[in-house]
Amino acid sequence: MPGGRPLGEDIEVDVCVVGAGIAGISTAYRLAREGKRVAVLDAGPVGGGETSRTTAHLASAVDDRFTEIERLHGLDGSRICADSHARAIDAIEEAVRAERLACDFERLDGYLFEGGDDSGVSLAEELEAARRAGVAGVVRLRRTPVERLDASCLLFPRQGQFHPLKYLAGLAHAIVRDGGRLHPETLVRDVEEDRPARVVTKAGPVVTADSVVVATNAPFIDRFAIHSKQAPYRTYSIAARVPRGSVPHGLYWDTMDPYHYVRLAPSAADEDLLIVGGEDRKPGDDADDEERLEELERWTRERFPVSELRYRWAGQVMEPIDGVAFIGRNPGRHENIYVATGDSGMGMTHGTIAGLLITDLIMERENPWARLYDPSRVTLGALGRFLRDGASVVGTLAEWFKSGDVASVDEIAPGSGAILRRGISKVAVYRDREGRLHERTAACTHLGCVVAWNPVAGSWDCPCHGSRFDPYGRVLAGPAVADLKPPSAS
Ligand code: FES
C-alpha cells in the first residue's frame, strides 16, 4: 500500500476526501483524473477499514433482490440499480486495464440458488424482476455447477471478483501520480460546513476545501438524518482450502436471510481457497461472534469439500432500510458536503458507484442515478424495515438497564474484555495479555449506546451506529470521533 504521512500542516485543496476505503479512494482517483487537487485523510492506513474485511464480490445482482428494490423504488429505481451496479463493475475493469493493475480481477458468472424452503424468495419472481430491471442474460437453471449444491438457481452472467487491497493500492498510486495527497493515520475530528469547508483533524492541522466527501462507512458528520435510516450489521467470513477444481469458479449466494455467499480466491498451492461470508447479525441479536462463525463453518462443510479452515474474520456493514446506499449531497444546509454510506452487502460496487456519482456531482454534471441514491430520500414503503431496525437500536439502548457481562473483573481472561456494572454506570474493562486491567466508560461517544466486546476483532463495537474502539478505548471507526472516556469522566 502506498505510504503518505499523517497530515502535519494546514493545506488547501479542491476536494478533501475523508476515508480511504473503496468509496473514498475511487472518488479521489476520479477527481484527480479530472484535474482536481484532492487530499485523502483516514484514521488508519489506506484500505484499513471495512474494505479490508470484504469478500470482494462484484455483483450487479443486488443482494436485496430486484423484487424488493422494485417494490420499494419502482421500476425506474430497479433499472437504475441494475445499471449502476453493472456500470460499477465495468468501471473497475476499465481502471484495471488503464492503470495495468495486478489485482486478480476476473469476470465470472454468479448464481443465486435456493437455500431452503423457508427463504420466502421465489426464483421465478426474481427472474422476472431482474429481466424487468434490464439485467442482461439472466436465466434460470435446474441446478448450480457445484456438485453438492443441487439446487435450482438463477444465472447472472458477467459478474466479477478481484483483490480489493491490491486494487486500492493501484488507485492510490495513481492519485499521487496525478497530484493528489494521501494522509493515513490522520483522524478527522470535525467538518465545519461552510464555503469553503474546514476539515479539522484531531492532531490540529486543518484542510480547507471547496468540497468535502465523507466516505467513512458510517458518517461521523450526521447525528440523525442518515443514522435513522440505516443500521450496522456484523458480518462474518471464513476462508478454507478445497481440492483444486472441486468448485467451479463463480460467485454463489443463496436465498436465505441472512444469506450466504461464496467465491474462490487464487491460491498458489495445489488447492483452492474458498471464501465464504454470511450469518449477518443485526443490533440487539444475542448470538455472539463465535457462534456465528461456527455456524458459518458448519454451513460450509455441509456443502463444500473443505480440507482445512485457514482464516476467519468479522466485519461490519451499514444496512440501509430501503436496500440502496446513500450517496450524494449530505442532508444539511451546504451543498458542498457529500457522503457515501449504507453499502449493505454490496460494498465494492456501491463504493465504486460513489466514485462515479460524486465525481459527476462535484464536476456539476447531470447523473441519472442521483435521485435513487440521494441521502435525503424518504422511502415510504420501507417503514416496516425501519421499525425492525429502529426497534433493534432501541433494544440496544435498553442495555443500560441490564446487568453487565460479568459480575467481577476476575472473570475476564487475558486478552479479552467485558462490560461490568458499577453502580448506575457501566464500565468497559479490558484485561491485556500481561493481566493488567484497562477501564473506560462503556458509553459510546457518538450518542451514548453501550459498547460491546468483539472477541474476533479484539475491539469495543457500538451496536447502534457502528462505531468501533480499540481495547484501550481509542476510536477505530466512526461515526464516533472521540475515544471512550475514563470511568471517572463519564
Ligand atoms: Fe452511535 Fe455509538 S455509534 S451511539
Side-chain angles (χ1 to χ4, degrees):
M1 205 49 82
R5 294 209 189 101
L7 184 64
E9 60 188 344
D10 292 354
I11 57 171
E12 280 183 35
V13 293
D14 297 324
V15 184
C16 179
V17 177
V18 186
I22 180 98
I25 290 292
S26 299
T27 306
Y29 167 69
R30 293 187 172 277
L31 287 165
R33 299 295 298 147
E34 301 259 9
K36 291 288 186 187
R37 295 173 304 150
V38 299
V40 183
L41 315 185
D42 196 290
V46 173
E50 293 309 314
T51 300
S52 65
R53 301 182 186 99
T54 178
T55 59
H57 285 226
L58 298 175
S60 60
V62 289
D63 65 345
D64 273 52
R65 316 271 178 266
F66 288 107
T67 40
E68 182 69 352
I69 297 297
E70 186 180 322
R71 182 183 77 78
L72 291 167
H73 300 279
L75 189 51
D76 273 358
S78 150
R79 284 191 175 137
I80 289 170
C81 206
D83 175 56
S84 55
H85 284 278
R87 176 75 190 94
I89 304 173
D90 292 345
I92 290 170
E93 186 171 35
E94 286 159 19
V96 167
R97 200 175 297 132
E99 303 294 345
R100 299 175 194 271
L101 304 180
C103 64
D104 308 327
F105 175 87
E106 65 176 296
R107 290 279 189 176
L108 70 186
D109 292 336
Y111 301 87
L112 169 65
F113 62 92
E114 284 179 336
D117 296 339
D118 53 348
S119 73
V121 174
S122 157
L123 286 186
E125 288 176 14
E126 182 62 9
L127 175 63
E128 290 312 309
R131 284 180 171 156
R132 284 194 299 275
V135 176
V138 58
V139 292
R140 184 162 186 176
L141 303 180
R142 199 187 54 76
R143 53 161 302 151
T144 78
V146 179
E147 192 181 338
R148 287 200 224 165
L149 278 186
D150 187 7
S152 179
C153 64
L154 300 186
L155 162 65
F156 292 85
R158 283 183 61 74
Q159 309 293 290
Q161 66 176 33
F162 67 163
H163 191 301
L165 296 185
K166 291 178 183 173
Y167 176 73
L168 282 200
L171 293 195
H173 276 296
I175 291 168
V176 173
R177 177 201 64 203
D178 293 339
R181 307 171 61 126
L182 295 177
H183 295 292
E185 313 300 338
T186 302
L187 179 65
V188 171
R189 183 165 58 77
D190 196 13
V191 175
E192 295 175 5
E193 300 186 26
D194 207 335
R195 277 190 182 275
R198 283 164 43 89
V199 179
V200 183
T201 66
K202 187 179 181 191
V206 172
V207 181
T208 304
D210 294 336
S211 303
V212 176
V213 180
V214 176
T216 51
N217 190 40
F220 60 92
I221 54 174
D222 177 78
R223 295 227 152 220
F224 184 75
I226 293 177
H227 287 312
S228 60
K229 298 189 289 189
Q230 63 179 9
Y233 275 56
R234 270 206 97 55
T235 176
Y236 303 90
S237 303
I238 59 174
R241 287 191 188 284
V242 293
R244 174 143 290 173
S246 62
V247 179
H249 268 235
L251 305 183
Y252 304 92
W253 62 105
D254 69 12
T255 52
M256 301 305 285
D257 183 18
Y259 70 109
H260 306 85
Y261 39 99
V262 181
R263 76 172 176 96
L264 291 168
S267 168
D270 57 358
E271 293 179 298
D272 289 327
L273 199 58
L274 189 78
I275 299 176
V276 184
E279 294 297 327
D280 295 8
R281 176 161 75 97
K282 63 177 184 268
D285 190 325
D286 281 340
D288 69 19
D289 289 341
E290 281 298 333
E291 288 172 22
R292 291 295 179 158
L293 282 161
E294 282 169 18
E295 181 56 29
L296 189 59
E297 183 180 344
R298 187 194 61 73
W299 183 92
T300 304
R301 286 188 183 280
E302 282 177 1
R303 289 162 180 81
F304 297 92
V306 169
S307 59
E308 181 196 4
L309 184 66
R310 291 299 307 280
Y311 309 104
R312 35 191 243 153
W313 66 97
Q316 183 164 275
V317 295
M318 301 306 295
E319 194 66 42
I321 60 166
D322 62 4
V324 172
F326 301 103
I327 301 169
R329 291 199 168 87
N330 187 51
R333 281 184 304 127
H334 295 280
E335 294 212 325
N336 58 335
I337 313 294
Y338 302 83
V339 68
T341 186
D343 287 346
S344 185
M346 310 286 295
M348 297 300 98
T349 43
H350 267 146
T352 306
I353 290 167
L356 296 162
L357 174 51
I358 293 177
T359 297
D360 277 352
L361 295 175
I362 289 177
M363 300 306 293
E364 299 183 357
R365 290 193 293 254
E366 286 283 319
N367 186 306
W369 307 340
R371 219 165 119 208
L372 178 69
Y373 290 103
D374 183 359
S376 298
R377 72 178 182 270
V378 175
T379 308
L380 293 178
L383 185 62
R385 294 165 62 136
F386 173 82
L387 292 174
R388 182 192 65 190
D389 285 346
S392 298
V393 170
V394 170
T396 62
L397 288 170
E399 282 295 318
W400 279 110
F401 304 101
K402 296 182 184 167
S403 56
D405 303 334
V406 293
S408 155
V409 295
D410 296 342
E411 297 173 45
I412 304 173
S416 68
I419 299 295
L420 186 73
R421 174 168 282 293
R422 193 172 283 156
I424 59 164
S425 59
K426 284 195 157 183
V427 185
V429 184
Y430 171 66
R431 186 187 290 280
D432 67 25
R433 302 215 174 268
E434 283 70 49
R436 290 184 297 264
L437 294 171
H438 305 267
E439 296 190 353
R440 284 288 179 269
T441 176
C444 173
T445 53
H446 178 227
L447 292 177
C449 290
V450 179
V451 297
W453 178 249
N454 174 349
V456 178
S459 59
W460 297 106
D461 296 357
C462 180
C464 281
H465 313 109
S467 292
R468 299 181 58 242
F469 305 85
D470 78 3
Y472 309 98
R474 294 177 296 227
V475 66
L476 292 170
V481 293
D483 300 339
L484 296 179
K485 297 189 178 102
S488 56
S490 60

